[in-house]
């Protein structure tokens, strides 16, 4: 019983970390219809920034949110405006290739500047363990769990209760009609991309005290994030959140019972089953997928 | 108020409108009638900036709006109620109506305008919290018109508002168009239902193959032999 409880708690901790990484990706896809293959690299840049700022200013890693999140928001806007927007009249796959190119460029830029070294952001006590009943977790993991709930809830409120949020949803549902309401669709795309990247910026800051960062770090997270986005029903924020928790649980249980070398088999096996039996995702529906494509 | 001078436009390499000119004066109800594929919808989409004008010019209240993007055309006071409603299907009816008032000039008049619109459409008032896609076709058309009115436009353009609706709903739609015109909004309406449209319109243009082939007072056109044969089936 204690073991079960401990595995569930650890699965949920890991799942909320995945949720934080995936939320921005699904938001960007749901609204702008761009599959952002550079998502992991934005996170890697965010973690690098967190490391640099924490080390040089000597501040608590969480305080770097003040710098990292606005910077990544701006970076997202710049990328949307100068890379993706100019390609909007070409085929969709051209935009996707552009984000793949961006991903490669970002990795190699970091390799050039910093080599392939690991950088460890000071943990500032966030790696200390906490007892939650029978389970043992890191302080930083609890913070990530709470923040992921706030992030998903906050995005939901933003999208449903504010004028800008409604305009973003309207654009996703009917681009033409949105323009006829006077909505500047290019601006909506820019803001959405910015918000999506800012979300992965928050994830980057919270992850940094727990994980070392190198040029390839983004790659290791983004594959799982894509699995989650698809399982959650492409573009659904709540769907991605629940899918992330499921993947986290599968990861924890498979890691314990099958061993860490086989746990990816379990994760991707479940993903394949979902694709075969619910191709529109666990929380999507066929109609939604149709309007997305 | 609105002038199209020798406008040519279309989709990609396909030209639909050829040197099309027309005018709408303030306070008028003007209609463009014509068959399927004649260019009626393209004309409205060109005015609203959804389609790029390849040559010619469009002016509104003396300002050249030929190459303005669609959202800025709305800001100038031109609203299009598009063909087939194009509601935000997963949003509530109220949210759809709120989106209609997105234009800056409409925000300050939101409450007053909402009351006006809901008085005009009591059915819509009963369904404010429902998802737009759960409504019947006629109700959806009412929401689309209500949404368009929320922008407080100077010129309101209707694209085939009677399309796919039951005859009794069609009469209601035309009744609403009349009331909107009476309240002082200028109206440009495109229809295949020529008979009903000519009854509410002041003036009419007849479009064939992307060109205006005839224009005049709506009353006169109703009596014209060509119109009667080609569009009224008499």
């Amino acid at each position: 019983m204690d073991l079960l409880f401990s595995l569930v708690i650890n699965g949920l901790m890991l799942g909320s970390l995945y949720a934080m990484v995936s939320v921005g990706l699904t938001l960007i896809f749901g609204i702008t219809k761009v599959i952002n293959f550079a998502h992991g690299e934005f996170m890697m840049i965010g973690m690098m920034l967190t490391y640099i700022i924490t080390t040089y200013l000597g501040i608590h890693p969480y305080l770097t949110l003040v710098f990292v999140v606005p910077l990544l928001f701006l970076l997202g806007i710049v990328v949307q405006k100068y890379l993706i927007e100019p390609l909007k009249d070409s085929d969709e796959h051209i935009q996707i290739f552009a984000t793949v190119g961006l991903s490669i460029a970002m990795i190699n830029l970091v390799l050039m500047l910093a080599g392939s070294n690991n950088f460890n952001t000071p943990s500032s006590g966030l790696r200390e363990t906490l007892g939650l009943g029978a389970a043992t977790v890191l302080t930083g993991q609890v913070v990530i769990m709470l923040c992921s709930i706030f992030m998903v809830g906050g995005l939901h409120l933003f999208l449903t209760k504010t004028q800008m949020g409604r305009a973003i949803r309207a654009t996703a549902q009917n681009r033409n009609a949105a323009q006829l309401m006077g909505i500047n669709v290019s601006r909506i795309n820019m803001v959405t991309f910015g918000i999506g990247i800012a979300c992965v910026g928050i994830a980057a800051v919270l992850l940094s005290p727990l994980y070392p960062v190198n040029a390839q770090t983004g790659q290791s997270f983004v594959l799982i994030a894509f699995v989650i986005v698809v399982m959650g029903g492409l573009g659904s924020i709540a769907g991605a959140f629940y899918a992330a928790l499921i993947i986290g649980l599968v990861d924890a249980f498979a890691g314990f019972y099958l061993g860490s070398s086989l746990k990816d088999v379990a994760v991707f096996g479940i993903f394949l089953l979902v694709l075969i039996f619910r191709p529109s995702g666990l929380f999507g529906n066929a109609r939604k997928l149709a309007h997305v494509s | 108020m609105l002038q199209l001078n020798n406008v040519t436009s279309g989709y990609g390499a396909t030209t639909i409108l050829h040197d099309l000119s027309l005018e709408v004066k303030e306070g008028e109800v003007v209609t463009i009638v014509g068959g399927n594929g004649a260019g009626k919808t393209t004309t409205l989409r060109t005015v609203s900036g959804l389609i790029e004008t390849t040559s010619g010019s469009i002016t509104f209240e003396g300002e050249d709006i030929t190459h303005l993007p669609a959202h800025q055309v709305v800001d100038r006071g031109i609203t299009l109620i598009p063909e087939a409603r194009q509601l935000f299907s997963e949003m509530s009816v109220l949210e759809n109506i709120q989106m209609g008032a997105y234009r800056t000039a409409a925000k300050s008049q939101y409450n007053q305008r909402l009351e006006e619109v809901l008085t005009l459409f009591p059915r819509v008032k009963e369904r404010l919290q429902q998802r737009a896609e759960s409504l019947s076709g006629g109700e959806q058309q009412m929401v689309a018109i209500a949404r368009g009115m929320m922008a407080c436009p100077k010129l309101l353009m209707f694209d085939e508002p009677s399309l796919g609706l039951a005859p009794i709903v069609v009469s209601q739609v035309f009744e609403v168009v009349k009331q909107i015109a009476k309240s002082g909004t200028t109206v440009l309406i495109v229809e295949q239902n020529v008979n009903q449209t000519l009854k509410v319109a002041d003036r009419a243009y007849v479009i064939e193959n992307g060109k205006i082939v005839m224009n005049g007072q709506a009353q006169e056109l109703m009596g014209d032999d060509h119109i009667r044969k080609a569009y009224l089936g008499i």
Side-chain angles (χ1 to χ4, degrees):
Chain A
M1 200 60 218
D2 280 355
L3 171 69
L4 200 67
F5 179 75
S6 165
L7 285 176
V8 168
I9 291 293
N10 277 301
L12 292 179
M13 292 292 158
L14 189 63
S16 32
L17 185 157
Y18 288 154
M20 283 203 118
V21 182
S22 314
V23 158
L25 187 63
T26 205
L27 177 76
I28 290 172
F29 179 76
I31 311 295
T32 72
K33 314 295 181 234
V34 172
I35 302 171
N36 178 24
F37 276 98
H39 203 70
E41 278 57 59
F42 284 106
M43 188 178 98
M44 180 267 291
I45 299 277
M47 290 177 78
M48 287 285 179
L49 286 172
T50 307
Y51 166 77
I52 294 168
I53 297 169
T54 311
T55 320
Y56 286 89
L57 294 186
I59 56 176
H60 191 279
Y62 287 171
L63 288 178
T64 61
L65 280 173
V66 188
F67 305 100
V68 173
V69 175
L71 271 174
L72 284 194
F73 178 73
L74 285 179
L75 187 60
I77 284 184
V78 168
V79 166
Q80 169 66 30
K81 183 166 186 182
Y82 295 105
L83 181 72
I84 298 174
E85 178 82 14
L87 300 171
K88 70 173 178 192
D89 293 327
S90 35
D91 285 343
E92 275 173 24
H93 63 262
I94 305 278
Q95 293 183 339
I96 295 172
F97 284 138
T99 67
V100 173
L102 181 67
S103 154
I104 296 169
M106 284 162 94
I107 292 173
N108 285 286
L109 184 70
V110 172
L111 279 175
M112 200 174 83
L113 294 174
S116 55
N117 306 318
N118 271 327
F119 298 94
N120 288 292
T121 303
S123 61
S124 303
L126 296 165
R127 299 181 66 95
E128 274 165 29
T129 52
L130 263 173
L132 278 181
T136 314
V137 291
L138 303 180
T139 318
Q141 287 183 310
V142 177
V143 175
I144 288 177
M145 172 137 203
L146 294 176
C147 285
S148 73
I149 295 170
F150 278 125
M151 190 192 257
V152 171
L155 274 178
H156 179 76
L157 284 180
F158 169 71
L159 288 174
T160 50
K161 302 287 178 218
T162 67
Q163 177 83 348
M164 173 62 97
R166 277 194 291 267
I168 288 177
R169 278 160 59 223
T171 304
Q173 288 174 33
N174 192 326
R175 205 152 282 254
N176 258 332
Q179 284 175 284
L180 292 176
M181 302 299 111
I183 295 170
N184 182 345
V185 169
S186 309
R187 199 168 140 254
I188 292 289
N189 284 344
M190 263 172 17
V191 171
T192 306
F193 211 93
I195 293 174
I197 301 302
C199 285
V200 85
I202 297 176
V205 170
L206 298 184
L207 252 72
S208 288
L210 308 182
Y211 291 84
V213 57
N214 63 50
Q216 312 281 348
T217 301
Q219 300 277 303
S220 52
F221 281 99
V222 83
L223 192 57
I224 289 282
F226 274 110
V227 168
I228 287 164
V229 167
V230 173
M231 266 180 78
L234 288 170
S236 159
I237 290 169
F241 183 70
Y242 296 127
L245 295 184
I246 291 172
I247 292 287
L249 288 169
V250 170
D251 197 303
F253 276 86
F256 184 79
Y257 289 108
L258 301 177
S260 56
S261 53
L262 277 178
K263 70 177 185 191
D264 281 353
V265 176
V267 168
F268 286 92
I270 294 231
F271 177 54
L272 285 178
L273 289 178
V274 169
L275 281 187
I276 291 166
F277 294 107
R278 291 285 314 238
S280 50
L282 286 179
F283 306 95
N285 51 44
R287 182 180 37 84
K288 217 167 189 167
L289 197 65
H291 97 207
V292 157
S293 62
Chain B
M1 187 181 211
L2 175 76
Q3 276 171 316
L4 277 70
N5 308 309
N6 303 101
V7 167
T8 299
S9 77
Y11 302 87
T14 321
T15 305
I16 310 278
L17 303 183
H18 306 272
D19 276 337
L20 183 136
S21 300
L22 62 82
E23 187 185 8
V24 180
K25 299 197 187 82
E26 195 165 353
E28 274 189 321
V29 178
V30 173
T31 178
I32 306 173
V33 296
N36 237 337
K40 304 187 299 294
T41 295
T42 308
T43 308
L44 296 192
R45 289 172 68 89
T46 305
V47 172
S48 61
L50 290 176
I51 300 176
E52 183 66 14
T53 307
T54 27
S55 72
S57 70
I58 305 170
T59 59
F60 183 67
E61 296 189 311
E63 184 195 1
D64 184 355
I65 60 161
T66 317
H67 297 293
L68 283 187
H71 66 271
Q72 287 184 18
V73 173
V74 178
D75 263 343
R76 299 298 188 279
I78 302 179
T79 288
L80 169 64
I81 297 171
E83 192 177 356
R85 277 96 64 174
Q86 308 245 9
L87 296 182
F88 304 113
S89 54
E90 287 166 36
M91 293 170 101
S92 72
V93 169
L94 181 62
E95 283 180 314
N96 268 276
I97 289 174
Q98 286 171 333
M99 290 320 301
Y102 191 82
R103 174 186 174 231
T104 325
K107 279 176 189 153
S108 55
Q109 302 175 49
Y110 177 78
N111 288 327
Q112 185 199 345
R113 193 73 172 178
L114 183 65
E115 212 176 297
E116 278 174 41
V117 167
L118 294 182
T119 317
L120 194 59
F121 301 109
R123 298 281 292 188
V124 171
K125 192 175 182 177
E126 293 164 20
R127 309 229 180 285
L128 283 179
Q129 301 307 329
Q130 287 187 25
R131 275 157 80 98
E133 63 188 349
S134 71
L135 270 52
S136 74
E139 288 166 346
Q140 288 192 17
Q141 186 61 57
M142 297 303 173
V143 175
I145 297 175
R147 186 180 67 174
M149 289 176 69
M150 287 307 292
C152 303
K154 297 171 191 162
L155 171 66
L156 190 53
M157 304 192 294
F158 291 83
D159 192 355
E160 305 263 12
S162 77
L163 195 72
L165 300 182
I168 181 156
V169 187
V170 172
S171 321
Q172 284 171 11
V173 167
F174 281 105
E175 197 52 44
V176 165
V177 172
K178 247 192 252 177
Q179 290 198 33
I180 291 172
K182 212 190 283 173
S183 72
T185 309
T186 308
V187 171
L188 177 58
I189 180 166
V190 145
E191 258 296 345
Q192 292 196 45
N193 190 333
V194 177
N195 191 17
Q196 292 254 30
T197 318
L198 287 179
K199 281 183 195 154
V200 299
D202 300 314
R203 281 191 311 116
Y205 290 88
V206 181
I207 186 170
E208 276 170 23
N209 296 320
K211 287 188 175 126
I212 299 292
V213 292
M214 197 186 287
N215 73 84
Q217 299 297 316
Q219 291 296 326
E220 288 169 21
L221 287 181
M222 273 229 259
D224 183 274
D225 273 350
H226 175 73
I227 300 286
R228 289 169 71 93
K229 269 190 199 136
Y231 300 108
L232 297 177
I234 305 169

